[in-house]
Amino acid sequence: MDKHNHYTKKPNANIRMIIVDDEPIICEGLKQTIDWEQLGVEVVGVAWDGEQALEIVQAEAIDIVLSDIRMDGMDGLELAEQLRNHYPDINMIMISGYEDFEYARRAMRQGVIDYLLKPVNIDELKAVVSKVIERIHEEANTISPEEAELWFMNAIYSKSEFVETELVKQLKKFKGTYRILATQLTEFKLHYGELSADALKRLQDEWTEDIKSALDAAGLGSIFVFTNANLLYTFVYDKHRTLHEKDWNELLQQIAAGWKHDGRIIIAASDCFNDLEQTTVLCEQVWQMLPYHILLPQNESILTMPRCKAIESSRPSIHSYTPPADWATRLSGLLYRQECDEARTMVKTLLAELREHQLLLPELLEIYEEQMTLLRQRLRNNALQFEQNGERQSVDLHQYNSYELLEQLLLDDLHAWLELIRNQSVTKSYWIVEKAMKYVREHYSEDVKASEIAEWLNITPNHFSYIFKQNSGKNFKEFINDVRISQAQRLLASTNDKVFEIADQVGYKEYKYFVSVFKTVTGMTPKEYRAVSAGV
């Protein structure tokens, strides 16, 4: 897994600070006098009262507020109270005069980290800020990336016993907003299916880093977990609640546009939420949203719940199309007759019709597998043995995530079926035909029907007729007539039984029909044959 997973500020990231004082010259003096960059601090802005400071805090990710205690409008004490109630993770340093010492004590009770007396000593200020920076970095390292990843993975897989971890307590303390992203790459099997394990790891690292960099730039924390080679979950939190929906949309578009390799990156994004207990439910939600990417226009890559609902309302019902009732039966006939092109056309036509009805890939595969189940039953009825060949493992639709890739996989399966039948038919059909011939020779005097023999052999009548002709060179009716007429010839030559009696003995109930068949097979009538046999 990516070792860059994080849930709070990185230790080497710049600390973001604002300076608040109602005297502009003091604000600018504090900003310009100290080399803040050398300390690892970025002064994001200055404010001249508490209200203006809160506006900046609401719009930016801020780590430190350096504020005077006495100001017109909202003073430092009230600002401290607002920060404690709404942004408890922001560190506040207060500047006060000797006469404001009691104010400073009250400020400390409001969560102020430290305070400095006027006039401000530059070295002392640098020392206090450095101390706060050290504290921020220590908090960033309180929970390891591995622990964050473990928590998120368990949330994805609904293991609620891991909900109240130290990480969760830390996230809850922020009182921010959260969001789940699920991302995957289009046509993954085509572009990346042959990657080695090392190459796949490098791809996933770059994929993760692209998303993380965009989130970092927006001041957002994140945790990453791959649950599939082509499925990356991202837990995003906005501890300051600074991103509005418009900002989110722009950020997601930026991530999608930033993918520079083959295929596109698809992003399914949950709604923002505030209750961490919803994490598992929303992980499931974004997973269910991902298949809708197949119906997005080529220039779209973002799936939100409203977008998925719009797609769902505009497409036909999944029940609006069902395959023909005899589809599997017709395909089994083509397979046994080894009519490869016709069998491929049947499968491609079915998939095209399912695609035309805008079925998602899981829906399409479900209907196709139902037909394959019927086909397996028919093939088993025809004594075909399934081992590994006939029972394909489940399809990974995160990797075969396009109509074209899924179609090619199913056509490859079809080819395997054809090979299986071809290899088994050589011995199986010979055994079946031999058994049928033996049965006919023993029961020729009875009303023997091909359908009854097929049922006895536990195969379909069509398949029985096909393999009988393939192996014997004759259809079943021709063979049974040959057996009966051969027996009739023997009886005509060796007995004095009347012709109509012999006809009945060999299985013909109609005398005229017997004579007709006998003449067709031998070229003479039964009486002529008897006369020749007797030497008359």
Side-chain angles (χ1 to χ4, degrees):
M1 292 296 176
D2 185 2
K3 298 303 181 185
H4 295 293
N5 292 349
H6 69 294
Y7 69 95
T8 186
K9 181 173 288 294
K10 297 183 299 181
N12 61 347
N14 273 348
I15 301 298
R16 295 163 63 83
M17 184 176 78
I18 61 172
I19 300 171
V20 189
D21 197 300
D22 58 0
E23 296 186 42
I25 191 169
I26 294 180
C27 278
E28 288 301 320
L30 289 172
K31 181 179 178 181
Q32 301 296 333
T33 302
I34 298 175
D35 186 353
W36 294 109
E37 186 176 348
Q38 185 180 25
L39 291 177
V41 174
E42 176 187 357
V43 179
V44 177
V46 295
W48 298 341
D49 61 29
E51 290 182 356
Q52 195 174 41
L54 282 178
E55 290 178 2
I56 298 176
V57 167
Q58 291 167 358
E60 302 280 352
I62 303 300
D63 299 293
I64 300 175
V65 172
L66 176 60
S67 174
D68 191 10
I69 198 167
R70 282 189 180 273
M71 295 179 290
D72 292 336
M74 182 187 291
D75 63 14
L77 197 59
E78 188 176 351
L79 174 60
E81 184 178 4
Q82 291 290 327
L83 292 178
R84 187 190 68 171
N85 292 335
H86 300 290
Y87 306 96
D89 54 313
I90 292 180
N91 298 270
M92 189 170 185
I93 301 171
M94 195 76 80
I95 300 173
S96 69
Y98 282 108
E99 70 276 11
D100 299 321
F101 183 72
E102 184 57 35
Y103 276 100
R105 289 176 56 186
R106 289 172 57 190
M108 297 296 285
R109 290 197 293 270
Q110 294 289 359
V112 172
I113 295 297
D114 211 333
Y115 71 94
L116 298 165
L117 294 175
K118 293 180 178 180
V120 176
N121 180 283
I122 297 302
D123 290 335
E124 186 180 1
L125 174 58
K126 288 169 65 176
V128 169
V129 171
S130 296
K131 183 179 177 182
V132 173
I133 291 172
E134 184 178 349
R135 171 179 169 170
I136 292 172
H137 288 163
E138 286 176 355
E139 289 181 351
N141 289 321
T142 301
I143 299 177
S144 68
E146 290 78 11
E147 187 172 352
E149 183 178 303
L150 178 62
W151 167 78
F152 189 33
M153 184 173 291
N154 282 301
I156 293 170
Y157 290 110
S158 305
K159 295 186 178 179
S160 57
E161 63 266 26
F162 290 92
V163 168
E164 284 299 329
T165 62
E166 288 301 317
L167 171 65
V168 171
K169 293 176 182 177
Q170 184 79 4
L171 291 172
K172 285 183 175 179
K173 184 180 73 174
F174 293 145
K175 298 182 180 179
T177 57
Y178 318 107
R179 198 161 200 163
I180 305 297
L181 307 180
T183 53
Q184 68 174 199
L185 308 179
T186 59
E187 297 197 311
F188 185 86
K189 191 67 177 178
L190 173 65
H191 300 305
Y192 308 107
E194 303 303 320
L195 290 183
S196 66
D198 288 343
L200 177 60
K201 178 65 168 60
R202 288 194 296 271
L203 174 75
Q204 291 178 333
D205 286 347
E206 184 173 352
W207 177 354
T208 304
E209 188 60 36
D210 281 357
I211 297 176
K212 188 172 77 66
S213 296
L215 296 176
D216 280 352
L220 302 173
S222 52
I223 307 169
F224 297 92
V225 168
F226 276 98
T227 61
N228 180 282
N230 191 30
L231 179 56
L232 172 62
Y233 285 95
T234 307
F235 178 88
V236 185
Y237 80 92
D238 178 3
K239 63 183 180 180
H240 299 309
R241 303 190 187 190
T242 56
L243 256 64
H244 301 294
E245 195 61 27
K246 179 177 178 293
D247 300 320
W248 270 110
N249 291 336
E250 290 177 355
L251 177 59
L252 296 177
Q253 293 293 346
Q254 175 191 338
I255 293 172
W259 185 250
K260 302 304 181 185
H261 300 286
D262 292 328
R264 293 179 295 139
I265 187 168
I266 299 298
I267 307 172
S270 75
D271 294 334
C272 289
F273 61 103
N274 303 111
D275 184 357
L276 279 177
E277 293 183 4
Q278 292 182 277
T279 302
T280 296
V281 172
L282 291 174
C283 286
E284 174 72 14
Q285 182 188 87
V286 293
W287 178 79
Q288 292 176 345
M289 289 161 59
L290 273 176
Y292 283 88
H293 89 267
I294 205 77
L295 302 179
L296 286 175
Q298 280 297 313
N299 62 339
E300 289 189 32
S301 296
I302 311 302
L303 289 162
T304 60
M305 184 53 68
R307 186 72 179 97
C308 290
K309 287 181 178 179
I311 294 173
E312 184 63 32
S313 64
S314 65
R315 71 186 184 116
S317 166
I318 185 176
H319 304 296
S320 64
Y321 174 80
T322 54
D326 63 343
W327 190 87
T329 301
R330 289 190 289 117
L331 181 60
S332 66
L334 294 175
L335 292 175
Y336 272 112
R337 293 193 295 275
Q338 293 292 291
E339 296 179 11
C340 304
D341 291 342
E342 291 81 355
R344 285 177 61 87
T345 297
M346 265 196 75
V347 171
K348 287 172 70 73
T349 299
L350 174 65
L351 296 178
E353 290 171 349
L354 294 174
R355 180 175 180 175
E356 184 180 342
H357 281 73
Q358 298 183 39
L359 268 69
L360 305 180
L361 294 182
E363 298 165 347
L364 182 151
L365 185 61
E366 180 180 359
I367 291 177
Y368 181 82
E369 291 288 13
E370 288 173 355
Q371 294 302 310
M372 291 300 101
T373 299
L374 295 174
L375 180 62
R376 287 188 188 94
Q377 291 173 352
R378 283 160 176 74
L379 298 181
R380 283 196 177 95
N381 289 343
N382 292 339
L384 191 67
Q385 296 297 315
F386 289 97
E387 295 176 357
Q388 296 301 318
N389 305 51
E391 304 290 349
R392 173 179 39 74
Q393 298 298 312
S394 60
V395 179
D396 185 346
L397 291 178
H398 294 302
Q399 300 201 35
Y400 292 91
N401 59 340
S402 72
Y403 285 123
E404 292 76 15
L405 284 173
L406 183 57
E407 178 180 288
Q408 188 55 56
L409 175 66
L410 300 180
L411 290 175
D412 288 346
D413 280 356
L414 180 68
H415 178 73
W417 287 64
L418 286 162
E419 287 295 312
L420 177 68
I421 292 170
R422 180 183 298 118
N423 294 335
Q424 291 198 28
S425 290
V426 174
T427 55
K428 292 290 183 183
S429 61
Y430 176 80
W431 171 80
I432 289 171
V433 171
E434 283 297 309
K435 195 170 184 179
M437 287 180 171
K438 184 174 183 292
Y439 183 89
V440 169
R441 294 188 183 104
E442 293 174 352
H443 299 271
Y444 63 86
S445 62
E446 301 171 13
D447 184 16
V448 180
K449 296 178 180 178
S451 59
E452 293 173 350
I453 292 184
E455 183 178 0
W456 174 62
L457 292 170
N458 199 30
I459 60 176
T460 63
N462 285 343
H463 180 52
F464 172 72
S465 298
Y466 171 73
I467 64 172
F468 194 94
K469 180 68 178 290
Q470 289 291 104
N471 284 268
S472 69
K474 299 179 180 181
N475 63 40
F476 181 75
K477 187 175 182 181
E478 290 173 336
F479 176 76
I480 198 169
N481 281 335
D482 285 350
V483 172
R484 285 171 171 171
I485 296 306
S486 176
Q487 292 300 319
Q489 288 175 310
R490 182 183 63 79
L491 293 173
L492 286 168
S494 62
T495 72
N496 294 321
D497 293 346
K498 298 183 182 300
V499 174
F500 74 87
E501 292 175 334
I502 291 175
D504 184 68
Q505 290 173 37
V506 298
Y508 294 102
K509 305 307 177 186
E510 295 184 12
Y511 173 74
K512 289 184 178 181
Y513 180 64
F514 166 68
V515 172
S516 173
V517 173
F518 192 97
K519 187 173 183 178
T520 299
V521 173
T522 65
M524 60 186 75
T525 67
K527 289 181 179 180
E528 290 171 344
Y529 180 83
R530 174 170 270 177
V532 170
S533 298
V536 178

